[in-house]
Structures are given as C-alpha cells and as structure tokens.
Amino acid sequence: MNFMRNTWYAAVWAQDLPADRLVPVTIIGEAVVLFRDAAGKATALLDRCPHRLVPLHLGRLCDGGARLQCGYHGLEFDGAGRCVRNPHSDRVPTAAKVRAFPVVERHSLIWVWMGDAAPCEAQIPDYSAFDECNNARVGRRETIELDVNYQLMTDNLLDLSHVSFLHDGILGHADMVRGNIEVQQEDNTLYVRRATPNVAPPGMFDLMFRRDGQPVDVWADMRWNAPASMLNYAGVCPPGGERSAGVHILGAHILTPVSEFRTRYHVAAVRYDDTVTRSEEEASEVMQKLGDLRRHAFKDQDEPMVMAQQDAMIRAGGLDAVEPLLLNIDVGPARARRLLETLRQQADEVREPVEA
Ligand code: FES
Ligand SMILES: [Fe+2]
C-alpha cells in the first residue's frame, strides 16, 4: 500500500508517553520506539537495533532517558540515534546508528514525521481545543486499535449520512436522511459540511441541549487534513437561530495507519454547552452518558460495520478489486481520496527537475 511518508502522524496521546517508558508503535508499517529523553522531550527511533535487529523497546532507558540500552547486548543510543557506548569494546563502529524520526509534541499529541524530506511543523493540523489547558471540557483522550484500513474509516467519517441508519436514535434518525452536503477545499484542507435544518434532535444532542425533543437545526462540519486527521464540529441550535445559541462538540478523529489492515484511532471530544444551565451533578451525568453513547456508536455500530465491509472486500479480491457504486453522499470521501493521492505524489515523489 502506498502510504504518504513525508507527513506527520499522530503516534500517541502525550499522556500515554510517560517518562521512563519505552513505547512501541507501528506507523505505516515501520516499527518505531518512543520515549522521553532526560529533558522530557519526546523522541522516536526506529525500533530495531542495528546489531542482530532486535526491537529496541525490549531494552531499557539509562540516566533518565539520556540513552536507550539495547536489551540483547547492551549497545547504547542517544535520542539522535547515535551509538554512544559499546560495552564490548572502546570502539563504536560507524554503522552503529539508528534512524531518528522528527517528533513534535503539540495539542496533547505526539506527532512523528515519517519521511526523509525536511519536516514542516506548520503542517500539523490545529487541535488546540485539546490542549491540556482546556482539560475541564475535554473528555477522555483514547486510542482504539482497529483491524480496518484507515481509508475505510475516513470514508465513514466524511460521509455522515450513515447516522440516520447505523446510529438511528443516537446520532441521527429517519428525518435527517436528506442533509445538505457541501464540500470546500481551502489550500490542502478539506471541509465536508452536512446540515439538516428543523428536525427532531438526535438522542445525543437532545441529552446535551434542552431534553424536550423540540425541533432544532443540526450540523456536522468535518475538517480533513492529509493523511487522515479529522476534526468534527457538530451541534444543534434553535431552528433558524445562531449556532452560538445551541450546543456543540468538537471531536478529534485522528487515524494513524499501522499497516494496510490495521489503524490506530485517536479520539477525544470537547463539549461546548454553556447555553444550558445544570447542576454539577447533572453536568457530570450528561458527560458520562455522552461518553457512553459515543463509545457505543463507535464500538458496537461503526467498527463491526466497517470490519464486515473490509472482509467482504478482501473476499472479493482486495480493497480495490471492485469498483463501488457512487452516490451523491460520497462526494466528501471521494474528494479526500483524490486530494490525498495528489498530496502524496507531491510530497513523496519529488523528482529532479528535467534540464531544458
Ligand atoms: S542486538 Fe542490540 S546490541 Fe546486540
Ligand atoms: Fe459512525
């Protein structure tokens, strides 16, 4: 599979990379080991010792993270991947080095640049709503391991018309089928917006808003950045009213391909429901229920459906073996797939200019 290489991938939530731990992650088929150096800076090395090729995450950290010692014969590497100690000799062979990947810790996530080109920090998408300073509003930051291809999950997230069927009663219902879908590209960012005016509130938003079942305008605006980092701005407000008079959620949906058929899915949500007055007890009950509903919609509804889709595709000969029928609701996913391929070619297949 042609994964984009010269781009940032969210490896883990920062909370899941404590000091003194070696954390193995596989990103686009490459084994990477993450740790914090002596200054607490997140570091990523290829998870493979150049001697005998064993995973370095089976070793240990020395001097508070200053060096990673291989667990097999004790070569020690610094955060730049240089071998700084060979316990068997005073000489360190020049080939004793490990690839180091550029890392940035931002918006409570650890981002790793997987390509050989110079990394561009400005390309990290804005998830500032998830910064630690906003913790009072942010629900659990979780990572879900999925046995599905990341593009099938992207299709799922960029086509939210499925809420009326797969998530009937929770995130959608029959009256929301005919949403107005709008796709817009700004530079390399894609927006897929879906609005359903004047309908009964879907269960999750009724719980968050007025709890009276009265009609509302519903929207879900999904932002997409290559390769598969999404942010969903979704909410309800009184019909014809300002969105600021309603309630909304910002949902992080960040997909990191592990391999062709496996994906790490980083999720978290930020609630904005200050327009509703509640006791502290009610607010924490709502927060708990929202988390449970989101988890149920994902684990019991989306995940089994997309896994079954992938199984059917594999039985038919592979993910690209059968040309799928395209409906009007597929405009967002189709556009994202085309844009990703264009950006991948631009980023990874840079050729020498042809001499005139
Ligand atoms: S395998 Fe790492 S030092 Fe031998
Ligand atoms: Fe879904």
Side-chain angles (χ1 to χ4, degrees):
M1 182 153 208
N2 279 336
F3 294 114
M4 190 170 175
R5 299 197 63 83
N6 286 302
T7 190
W8 295 100
Y9 286 96
V12 291
W13 291 104
Q15 66 189 16
D16 298 325
L17 183 62
D20 300 325
R21 274 260 308 277
L22 290 165
V23 176
V25 289
T26 301
I27 304 172
I28 59 169
E30 295 261 25
V32 173
V33 57
L34 303 170
F35 60 96
R36 292 190 183 275
D37 70 12
K41 185 183 174 311
T43 303
L45 297 181
L46 185 67
D47 193 10
R48 195 172 68 209
C49 178
H51 177 238
R52 305 276 179 94
L53 314 184
V54 305
L56 286 169
H57 78 263
L58 299 177
R60 67 184 191 95
L61 289 169
C62 310
D63 282 348
R67 298 180 315 283
L68 193 175
Q69 183 185 63
C70 178
Y72 206 2
H73 313 95
L75 286 181
E76 291 180 18
F77 303 91
D78 68 10
R82 287 180 296 246
C83 181
V84 289
R85 183 163 178 262
N86 172 7
H88 308 282
S89 159
D90 291 336
R91 208 179 69 79
V92 173
T94 45
K97 51 179 182 265
V98 181
R99 178 173 180 191
F101 298 90
V103 180
V104 170
E105 180 166 350
R106 187 172 294 173
H107 307 322
S108 69
L109 286 150
I110 307 292
W111 299 86
V112 178
W113 179 269
M114 295 301 290
D116 294 318
C120 172
E121 288 193 25
Q123 285 178 14
I124 296 175
D126 180 9
Y127 286 98
S128 50
F130 298 84
D131 287 344
E132 276 83 357
C133 59
N134 298 324
N135 269 356
R137 287 180 178 277
V138 183
R140 271 195 310 266
R141 298 177 180 84
E142 293 181 86
T143 298
I144 302 165
E145 298 270 347
L146 292 173
D147 281 321
V148 293
N149 176 274
Y150 78 107
Q151 286 197 309
L152 298 184
M153 273 316 300
T154 305
D155 294 344
N156 168 289
L157 290 161
L158 292 184
D159 160 31
L160 292 177
S161 68
H162 75 269
V163 295
S164 292
F165 300 92
L166 194 55
H167 307 303
D168 186 14
I170 303 175
L171 304 177
H173 52 69
D175 290 344
M176 286 175 60
V177 175
R178 301 248 174 135
N180 306 315
I181 302 170
E182 195 188 290
V183 176
Q184 187 194 351
Q185 185 178 339
E186 282 176 22
D187 297 322
N188 293 334
T189 301
L190 198 69
Y191 295 90
V192 182
R193 303 188 173 98
R194 189 167 189 279
T196 35
N198 205 19
V199 292
M204 194 180 87
F205 284 116
D206 194 36
L207 174 73
M208 254 182 99
F209 194 35
R210 295 186 300 213
R211 301 189 180 193
D212 59 3
Q214 289 303 301
V216 288
D217 289 350
V218 186
W219 75 89
D221 294 352
M222 193 68 91
R223 185 192 77 190
W224 173 95
N225 287 97
S229 295
M230 283 156 277
L231 178 75
N232 187 18
Y233 162 48
V236 298
C237 65
E242 294 291 325
R243 287 184 173 183
S244 56
V247 295
H248 72 268
I249 282 182
L250 276 183
H253 300 270
I254 307 172
L255 303 171
T256 303
V258 172
S259 60
E260 184 172 8
F261 300 121
R262 196 164 173 81
T263 298
R264 284 165 68 78
Y265 183 15
H266 306 286
V267 282
V270 195
R271 276 173 314 115
Y272 296 90
D273 55 358
D274 294 346
T275 50
V276 183
T277 315
R278 289 197 183 96
S279 68
E280 234 169 79
E281 200 180 321
E282 273 175 338
S284 83
E285 184 199 322
V286 167
M287 187 134 159
Q288 177 69 37
K289 280 191 182 158
L290 281 178
D292 292 349
L293 281 178
R294 279 169 53 87
R295 172 167 282 275
H296 169 65
F298 184 73
K299 289 301 286 178
D300 304 331
Q301 297 176 334
D302 283 312
E303 185 181 350
M305 184 61 87
V306 180
M307 277 181 71
Q309 174 194 15
Q310 177 171 278
D311 285 348
M313 291 172 126
I314 291 171
R315 277 198 302 277
L319 298 186
D320 298 319
V322 180
E323 195 65 35
L325 168 72
L326 281 181
L327 302 177
N328 61 328
I329 55 176
D330 297 311
V331 56
R335 184 81 174 266
R337 279 179 178 253
R338 281 203 306 277
L339 183 53
L340 175 59
E341 183 50 21
T342 304
L343 296 173
R344 187 192 68 76
Q345 286 179 14
Q346 282 171 5
D348 294 353
E349 297 178 9
V350 180
R351 308 235 191 284
E352 291 296 311
V354 181
E355 299 270 325

